[in-house]
Amino acid sequence: MELAAHTWQELEEYLEETSLALVPVGSTEQHGPHLPESTDHTIAEALAQEAAERGDYLCTPTVNIGVSPHHKQFAGTMWVDAPVFRDYMESLVRNLTYHGIDRVVFVNAHGGNVEHLQEVGRRLYDDEVAYSVEWMWDNSIPDLVDDLFEQNGPHAGPKETSMVWYIEDNVREEKLEEARDGGLVDLEDAETMKHGARTFYDAVDNSGNGGFGDPTDASAEKGKQLFEAASEQLVHLCDWMAAQDAEDLMPASRVAERSE
């Protein structure tokens, strides 16, 4: 059920029977010359809505802007500071708990959000407010991603290109070769580690046009495979979380109490 599409009376009845919500989280940032800046939140929203429909779970509106300062040199990229993002996401979940939600899946499609969503989950867990987990779609299907693409890349590569192609057919096909040739195809060619230290902070330091991997290897057909497989994994995660007793999802008792 999409929360924003229903009235409060319809939601009041629905929320009496559910305890889990999916919160799609993405970004608005450059994705090379061939993909729209909506790429991450488009993917997150599509997956969350699909899983919510398949499993009859609640899906909230999408958080469209995340932690993206590492893409700031490219026109149009938007971001919020990491502490602000963490506080906002924590407040959002606390709002959901007011309505009876006690477990949340952050359906994430932006790598820059990962550590911050995990920190939010830790805060809520430690306070015994809610059980929240960060779920990154491509991390749920790593073998399929590796099988489909020889040079995937972590950003604006063939996996994201394929997903956008399938979800909304919004790929600049005439720009695919430019994205490959002007970007960084193989991460091993990036000279960004010096004596054990990572020496870069911004994407432009590695890729002149913001693309990574080989997007010419993308297709809508591959996007469908990725979307179906990731959706299935997300539904399985939601089913598992929904089946747990609430107290089992909260922190265990203190050591002294457990040893009695």
Side-chain angles (χ1 to χ4, degrees), residues 220-233:
E221 292 76 17
K222 291 180 180 179
K224 182 177 181 180
Q225 292 182 61
L226 295 169
F227 185 84
E228 290 295 328
S231 296
E232 182 178 9
Q233 291 300 311

Side-chain angles (χ1 to χ4, degrees), residues 47 50 54 135-145 148 163 166 221-237:
L47 287 167
E50 178 72 13
R54 290 189 189 187
W135 179 85
M136 186 78 173
W137 71 270
D138 54 324
N139 288 341
S140 76
I141 51 171
D143 291 341
L144 178 60
V145 172
L148 288 178
M163 285 284 271
Y166 172 67
E221 292 76 17
K222 291 180 180 179
K224 182 177 181 180
Q225 292 182 61
L226 295 169
F227 185 84
E228 290 295 328
S231 296
E232 182 178 9
Q233 291 300 311
L234 181 54
V235 172
H236 288 327
L237 172 62

Side-chain angles (χ1 to χ4, degrees), residues 25-103:
V25 191
S27 68
T28 299
E29 63 181 29
Q30 74 84 17
H31 274 79
H34 61 299
L35 290 177
E37 302 214 349
S38 62
T39 290
D40 286 345
H41 67 251
T42 292
I43 294 172
E45 183 173 275
L47 287 167
Q49 291 178 349
E50 178 72 13
E53 182 177 351
R54 290 189 189 187
D56 191 23
Y57 295 113
L58 183 70
C59 182
T60 74
T62 304
V63 178
N64 290 342
I65 298 173
V67 183
S68 303
H70 48 297
H71 293 294
K72 63 187 177 184
Q73 288 90 350
F74 296 93
T77 290
M78 302 182 71
W79 71 92
V80 293
D81 292 336
V84 175
F85 177 76
R86 292 193 295 265
D87 288 347
Y88 178 86
M89 296 306 299
E90 179 180 353
S91 180
L92 187 155
V93 175
R94 288 180 182 272
N95 165 271
L96 289 172
T97 66
Y98 181 85
H99 299 290
I101 298 297
D102 65 4
R103 55 206 79 186

Side-chain angles (χ1 to χ4, degrees), residues 3 10-19 58 99-101:
L3 185 152
E10 294 165 345
L11 288 164
E12 183 176 46
E13 181 178 356
Y14 177 81
L15 286 166
E16 291 178 355
E17 304 297 330
T18 192
S19 60
L58 183 70
H99 299 290
I101 298 297

Side-chain angles (χ1 to χ4, degrees), residues 5 10 16 55 61 65 120-121 153 160 192 239 259:
E10 294 165 345
E16 291 178 355
I65 298 173
V120 170
E160 289 187 324
T192 54
D239 289 345
S259 62

Side-chain angles (χ1 to χ4, degrees), residues 91-137:
S91 180
L92 187 155
V93 175
R94 288 180 182 272
N95 165 271
L96 289 172
T97 66
Y98 181 85
H99 299 290
I101 298 297
D102 65 4
R103 55 206 79 186
V104 169
V105 179
F106 296 121
V107 181
N108 182 34
H110 173 49
N113 293 338
V114 171
E115 64 182 292
H116 307 294
L117 292 172
Q118 291 173 344
E119 170 61 22
V120 170
R122 162 60 72 178
R123 291 182 190 179
L124 296 162
Y125 174 80
D126 285 345
D127 289 348
E128 300 189 31
V129 172
Y131 183 78
S132 304
V133 298
E134 182 272 339
W135 179 85
M136 186 78 173
W137 71 270

